[in-house]
Amino acid sequence: MSKIKSLIKNLRPMGQCAVITGASSGLGMEFARQLAAQGIFLVLTGRNEKALAALAEEIGVSDCVVIPADLSKVRECIDFYGKAKKYKPDILINNAGFGLYGSFTAASLSKELELIDVNIKAMHVLFKLFLRDFVKQDRGYILNVGSIAGFMPGPLMAAYYSSKAYVIRQTQAVYTELRRIKSNVNVSVLCPGPVDTDFNRRAGITGFFKGITAKQCVSCALSEMRKKKLTITPTLKITAIAVMSRFSPVKLTSYCAYLVQKGKQRIEE
Ligand SMILES: NC(=O)c1ccc[n+]([C@@H]2O[C@H](COP(=O)([O-])OP(=O)(O)OC[C@H]3O[C@@H](n4cnc5c(N)ncnc54)[C@H](OP(=O)(O)O)[C@@H]3O)[C@@H](O)[C@H]2O)c1
């Protein structure tokens, strides 16, 4: 009887299934809304169970499943993968991440290590585990969420910028590996500039530039992902910055990034 129950629990409607990390807020929540509107079954994760439950209620509890996890712990990443794969996903939105403000000598080491755990390690673990399944089934999309920050050094936010460089390079390398084996699986990396979400508040800072909406960013990301674009920059301005950063002297780019970060104000929680 319990076997039948667990079989029923793991059944999902026919069609596509997307796993979304960081679904409890900001971009992840918007990915959930837009993919649900396309009739895609969702596996949602994050730590904030209340926010995830409210999102599931909004989307429809039969159209998604919530599996809470703290992705800063590798064990929880692997357990989450084990539970999520039962739904046979064919899309992974590898989105969970956060920023940290402060000079390298001042920033908290434990917070930086947590950032590396979420932005790099969890991204890496889930990317690899889901990709292995997608390659076996020879279909699927993985969208890793990087940032324009990954194209340059980021004084006063060094760990965050460096973590996003990892996301970009890892995705670009795997993209080529997949093309060489003629796989139908596609990987993309989304590199937004500022987006209006909880990102700045969590990083303890105010924004410097006005952000685009999560809706605008996600609708561009999903449409470019379907076109199998490798590196996705959601606005012309951000595309221009990405191109310029490739050709400018690194000390100049780093100084410009410093000025932007210096212009931000700290906010107390
Ligand atoms: N907003 C921007 O300006 C911007 C620009 C470029 C790139 N990005 C990237 O976009 C992604 C989404 O950020 P956002 O802007 O939507 O910010 P957000 O509103 O703060 O959302 C961050 C998400 O990451 C999840 N997360 C953080 N730590 C986690 C952990 N230990 N375990 C599980 N989930 C965790 C959070 O879930 P819980 O709190 O429930 O755990 C939350 O759902 C991030 O990777 C960020 O670096 C954002």
Side-chain angles (χ1 to χ4, degrees), residues 14-266:
M14 295 291 283
Q16 286 194 295
C17 170
V19 171
I20 306 174
T21 71
S24 56
S25 171
L27 287 172
M29 193 175 265
E30 185 58 31
F31 273 113
R33 290 188 173 124
Q34 294 195 22
L35 286 167
Q38 294 173 14
I40 295 170
F41 185 84
L42 305 177
V43 178
L44 307 170
T45 191
R47 290 165 304 178
N48 185 338
E49 296 189 30
K50 216 168 144 192
L52 291 169
L55 178 64
E57 197 66 41
E58 177 192 323
I59 286 169
V61 285
S62 56
D63 297 325
C64 63
V65 63
V66 169
I67 306 174
D70 180 349
L71 299 181
S72 66
K73 301 183 170 75
V74 173
R75 187 69 260 156
E76 291 203 28
C77 292
I78 295 170
D79 286 351
F80 168 70
Y81 160 74
K83 290 175 189 162
K85 78 172 188 180
K86 294 183 187 145
Y87 297 90
K88 305 212 179 326
D90 37 24
I91 299 174
L92 167 65
I93 309 290
N94 212 356
N95 160 77
F98 68 94
L100 187 61
Y101 189 75
S103 71
F104 185 55
T105 48
S108 140
L109 178 60
S110 64
K111 233 7 203 168
E112 282 177 333
L113 294 178
E114 187 190 334
L115 181 148
I116 291 168
D117 287 338
V118 178
N119 294 14
I120 298 183
K121 279 202 202 166
M123 186 289 306
H124 183 108
V125 169
L126 298 176
F127 186 18
K128 183 186 279 288
L129 296 180
F130 283 105
L131 183 64
R132 283 179 174 159
D133 294 342
F134 289 11
V135 167
K136 263 187 221 142
Q137 70 200 21
D138 197 29
R139 71 188 158 78
Y141 295 90
I142 295 184
L143 180 68
N144 290 324
V145 179
S147 167
I148 188 66
F151 288 102
M152 61 195 81
L156 301 181
M157 244 185 147
Y160 177 71
Y161 276 55
S162 306
S163 73
K164 291 302 178 179
Y166 186 88
V167 179
I168 294 172
R169 289 307 190 204
Q170 188 68 30
T171 314
Q172 292 171 337
V174 172
Y175 176 92
T176 302
E177 291 182 5
L178 293 172
R179 295 287 83 81
R180 299 320 298 165
I181 59 166
K182 301 199 179 339
S183 171
N184 282 314
V185 180
N186 190 69
V187 294
S188 304
V189 59
L190 172 63
C191 300
V195 187
D196 280 335
T197 65
D198 241 8
F199 179 85
N200 282 325
R201 190 192 58 76
R202 283 184 202 238
I205 45 173
T206 57
F208 186 74
F209 295 115
K210 192 177 156 29
I212 59 170
T213 63
K215 202 171 182 175
Q216 189 184 347
C217 181
V218 166
S219 83
C220 166
L222 289 177
S223 118
E224 298 292 278
M225 179 190 86
R226 295 282 189 193
K227 290 180 200 154
K228 301 194 167 183
K229 189 158 178 216
L230 168 57
T231 309
I232 302 169
T233 42
T235 62
L236 260 179
K237 197 163 117 189
I238 295 303
T239 309
I241 294 173
V243 172
M244 278 187 318
S245 66
R246 227 172 278 164
F247 299 106
S248 313
V250 72
K251 287 182 187 170
L252 177 66
T253 321
S254 188
Y255 181 60
C256 292
Y258 170 79
L259 292 179
V260 169
Q261 294 308 330
K262 189 102 181 73
K264 293 180 177 173
Q265 309 282 322
R266 277 182 192 279

